[in-house]
Amino acid sequence: MPDIVTPKILQNVPVGKDEFASQSQEHIAESIKNLILNIDNEKTPIRLIGIEGGWGTGKSNLVKILEKKLKGKGYSFFLYDAWGHQEDLHRRAIIEELSDFVDKENICSTCDKLADIREETLGTEVLVRTVQRPEFSWAFFFSVLGIVCLPLVELIHESDIVKNLPLFEKFPFLGWIFNAIPGLFFIIAVWVIIREAFNEAKRQSQSGEKIKNIGFFFSCLKNKTLQVYRKNEEKNTTAKRINQLNPSSNSFKNFLHALDDGLQQNKLVIVIDNIDRMNKEKVKDIWATIHMCFSSAAELHNILVLVPFDKNKIRDAFYQEEENELNTANDTDKKMTTYDTEKINQLALVDDFIQKTFSLVFRVSLPVLSDWEAFFRERWTDAFKSVQDEIEFDYVKRIFDAFTKVITPRNIIAFINEFATIKLSGVDNQIKSRYIAIFIKKQNYILSNITNALTKFDYLKPLDYGSVKILSQIHFIRQ
């Protein structure tokens, strides 16, 4: 009886290594490396390069291989994850992350100037914070003094205290002045009110020079008369970035040119990755950004742009079938021919659009049969330490091949990881690996139609019906 092995979950991330026998990715990376070096030596206008391949074919891994090849030659790779930023404004996100990357790598000789251009590109607004401090008006102050002094002066006048003073006996007019103090305060208060009303009316007047409407003046006079206190303003002015605005394409290009000038002898490769994971509308958005903002890349000297993409994904995004048109096309052969012609023309336009976007496009092809089988065995050995049963392993491999439309490194690793997960979940070790493989490839049907899956066996042909019981055991373990 074979020893029970605890499986290991494989990492499904780019490792920067070509693990297929044909070394096709290694050859493509070498070609791109030589092209990039020639571009920089000869100052050619080729600056926007596409890497085309199906989903999961290893485009990101190819970029990692290329990065290793150019390491030590003055090249820095900046990776922009379009999928991770699909809800962001792409031009703004690229500028922000690219600026941080350049600062961290210290590859730009004009960092201060670039920071200023970044702030100007991203935009600023002035935020004025006003603090209101209540302050009594002078008119109110003199009015209060007059009110307080009026009874006080009257009281002193009636007590004959002032009259008996030698100074007031010598200069009687001083008594008149003393008695007039409250009135003087009231006069000053009225003068202050009139002056402030006049200044307010003049300030708010359209001419700014003289008051044409006397009614407006009396309105200000009324307001100033009733105003107990006035508000004194303290202003604090701060600068703040506007995060909700997307820089224009022209501003984005200016930023790239400023960065290109500051790089001098350093080289920067901008990689726009994971486009094929985005939905259709988001693909259109990022593609428009690439086409508009990097169209002037030919004018740059130290910056190159790499864009891995899936042509079928781009076609799906830019060509949308109209359901009624499709239904109408099914009516007659003639209409179907018209529909097919239009569809072909639409796809041709998309291909033409791709060609106009990129100066060059390299293609990452699918692994050939011998390559994927060797890769499958190698990854299986990594997960389970060895192939313990060659017969069962051969069954698993053939089942994977039969039920997988397009074999890629990514779905090989995903399949083996799911197999390992089922093993870790406690499935009976007596259950053969072939049945686990069938369950993995057909689990969507089994889990959604469990009754039919255990009674109708068309999907199991040419397997024996005894496997139904085993598949049901796996199903309940997974549940």
Side-chain angles (χ1 to χ4, degrees), residues 14 39 49 75 145 172 176 190 194 215 224 249 254 305 331 352 410 428 452:
I39 286 173
I49 302 173
Y75 287 84
L145 285 179
W176 301 340
V190 171
I194 294 174
K224 291 296 179 180
S249 299
N254 291 337
V305 183
D331 292 341
D352 184 56
R410 181 176 294 158
D428 192 343
N452 290 337

Side-chain angles (χ1 to χ4, degrees), residues 283-284 287 291 309-320 342-358 361:
V283 169
K284 289 181 180 180
W287 201 268
H291 186 70
F309 68 95
D310 182 356
K311 183 182 288 187
N312 292 326
K313 187 74 174 181
I314 304 302
R315 284 175 176 172
D316 291 342
F318 284 93
Y319 176 74
Q320 309 222 356
E342 184 174 350
K343 182 176 180 180
I344 292 172
N345 291 337
Q346 290 280 358
L347 296 180
L349 289 175
V350 172
D351 289 338
D352 184 56
F353 184 61
I354 292 174
Q355 293 170 4
K356 288 182 178 180
T357 302
F358 299 106
V361 176

Side-chain angles (χ1 to χ4, degrees), residues 371-409:
D371 275 355
W372 83 257
E373 287 183 341
F375 182 77
F376 192 99
R377 176 179 287 273
E378 185 178 346
R379 295 283 76 80
W380 184 276
T381 303
D382 289 342
F384 297 97
K385 296 184 179 179
S386 65
V387 177
Q388 297 181 333
D389 189 332
E390 285 289 347
I391 296 177
E392 284 303 309
F393 175 76
D394 189 60
Y395 268 116
V396 169
K397 190 172 58 177
R398 283 192 289 165
I399 290 168
F400 175 80
D401 184 19
F403 292 140
T404 304
K405 291 182 179 179
V406 179
I407 298 177
T408 64

Side-chain angles (χ1 to χ4, degrees), residues 30-268:
E30 185 67 22
S31 299
I32 298 177
K33 183 202 78 171
N34 294 332
L35 173 67
I36 290 175
L37 295 176
N38 290 334
I39 286 173
D40 289 331
N41 291 334
E42 300 175 5
K43 304 296 182 182
T44 62
I46 300 175
R47 291 284 161 182
L48 185 55
I49 302 173
I51 300 176
E52 191 261 316
W55 190 84
T57 54
K59 300 185 294 295
S60 299
N61 190 60
L62 173 63
V63 172
K64 282 286 185 183
I65 296 173
L66 179 62
E67 182 178 0
K68 288 183 178 180
K69 287 181 174 293
L70 290 174
K71 187 176 181 180
K73 298 183 182 296
Y75 287 84
S76 298
F77 275 66
F78 167 73
L79 177 64
Y80 178 74
D81 185 357
W83 184 44
H85 291 85
Q86 65 177 342
E87 300 301 328
D88 297 335
L89 302 172
H90 291 296
R91 292 195 289 273
R92 171 172 289 277
I94 292 175
I95 289 176
E96 290 176 344
E97 292 203 2
L98 187 55
S99 299
D100 294 340
F101 175 82
V102 169
D103 290 341
K104 181 180 177 181
E105 297 293 321
N106 194 25
I107 56 176
C108 182
S109 60
T110 56
C111 291
D112 295 338
K113 179 181 177 181
L114 186 65
D116 294 339
I117 296 176
R118 165 185 166 165
E119 294 301 322
E120 182 181 350
T121 302
L122 296 182
T124 58
E125 73 175 0
V126 176
L127 177 64
V128 179
R129 296 177 181 175
T130 303
V131 180
Q132 304 286 358
R133 290 191 301 106
E135 184 180 271
F136 285 108
S137 66
W138 283 110
F140 180 76
F141 173 76
F142 285 110
S143 297
V144 171
L145 285 179
I147 294 172
V148 171
C149 289
L150 184 62
L152 183 63
V153 169
E154 184 68 21
L155 179 64
I156 296 175
H157 178 74
E158 292 179 355
S159 63
D160 294 334
I161 297 176
V162 175
K163 294 179 179 180
N164 296 330
L165 292 175
L167 183 63
F168 279 84
E169 291 179 353
K170 186 176 181 180
F171 301 102
F173 67 91
L174 292 178
W176 301 340
I177 296 175
F178 179 78
N179 293 332
I181 287 177
L184 181 63
F185 284 145
F186 285 121
I187 291 173
I188 294 175
V190 171
W191 177 78
V192 170
I193 291 174
I194 294 174
R195 189 193 65 175
E196 290 186 353
F198 180 82
N199 292 336
E200 180 70 18
K202 184 178 179 181
R203 185 167 55 251
Q204 295 187 18
S205 177
Q206 291 183 356
S207 64
E209 298 177 355
K210 59 182 179 179
I211 304 170
K212 297 181 179 180
N213 190 343
I214 192 66
F216 181 68
F217 168 74
F218 279 107
S219 175
C220 293
L221 182 63
K222 177 194 67 175
N223 294 334
K224 291 296 179 180
T225 303
L226 298 177
Q227 184 180 25
V228 175
Y229 67 89
R230 63 186 178 186
K231 296 177 180 179
N232 190 25
E233 298 182 350
E234 289 183 353
K235 294 183 179 180
N236 297 324
T237 304
T238 57
K240 170 182 158 182
R241 280 183 296 171
I242 305 174
N243 291 324
Q244 68 271 19
L245 296 181
N246 206 13
S248 66
S249 299
N250 191 51
S251 298
F252 186 91
K253 293 176 184 177
N254 291 337
F255 173 81
L256 282 183
H257 282 279
L259 175 59
D260 186 71
D261 293 338
L263 289 174
Q264 295 184 352
Q265 300 301 319
N266 297 308
K267 305 296 180 182
L268 177 65

